Amino acid sequence: MKERIIQNITRLSLHDSHIEKIEIIKNKLILTIDWAKLENYLEKEIDEGLILGKCKLVFDGINEEKLRLDFSGIPGKEKIEPKDIPFDIDLFKDWLILENKTISKNKYCISGLIDLDDGSAWLDWSFSFSNFMLTWNNSITWIEWRNGKLVTE
């Protein structure tokens, strides 16, 4: 991957992204993501937003990891209390990311809808990290994307 950022993760949007691969090596989390949106790439003096092709998001020093299922807003399940669950890589097969956000300086949360055997739920995946790096090979500008151009992998 030739392009990268290592600062200001708040400019990254993973809305409507899918995680293609999850790797956990010691305290490093490596996510391969099908696409992402970056508000700017000031490291290369590009202040316009970019749509990224396949990218890797690497978090070093990961700890305090928590997965939480929340049924609020799901018809017929509003009274079920949210619950913490153990990590299960199979949960992420068809997970549609709807939100990602920085909770505090080095705490991050990725959230989205997941299908369960008995319906749907909201899944929050939060963790702390010491640093991150986002890398990608291909991108287009927001204007190109709005004009119908597609980013290649």
Side-chain angles (χ1 to χ4, degrees), residues 103-117:
I103 298 170
S104 60
K105 185 176 188 277
N106 283 38
K107 189 162 187 174
Y108 204 63
C109 184
I110 303 172
S111 304
L113 285 174
I114 110 174
D115 288 325
L116 303 170
D117 292 337

Side-chain angles (χ1 to χ4, degrees), residues 131-147:
N131 56 60
F132 82 95
M133 180 170 54
L134 174 69
T135 58
W136 68 94
N137 285 329
N138 298 307
S139 63
I140 57 174
T141 66
W142 289 2
I143 292 171
E144 290 173 319
W145 184 65
R146 281 189 222 116
N147 288 330

Side-chain angles (χ1 to χ4, degrees), residues 23-31 58-66 87 106 108 125-131:
E23 298 171 87
I24 300 172
I25 303 167
K26 294 187 180 181
N27 66 345
K28 182 182 283 194
L29 172 64
I30 304 165
L31 304 175
V58 179
F59 294 96
D60 282 318
I62 189 167
N63 61 51
E64 299 177 26
E65 183 179 15
K66 182 166 90 172
F87 184 85
N106 283 38
Y108 204 63
W125 184 13
S126 62
F127 47 86
S128 295
F129 63 95
S130 57
N131 56 60

Side-chain angles (χ1 to χ4, degrees), residues 87-104:
F87 184 85
D88 180 356
I89 205 159
D90 289 335
L91 288 172
F92 300 96
K93 279 192 250 177
D94 296 316
W95 189 40
L96 178 63
I97 299 171
L98 296 175
E99 181 178 74
N100 59 298
K101 61 186 175 189
T102 302
I103 298 170
S104 60

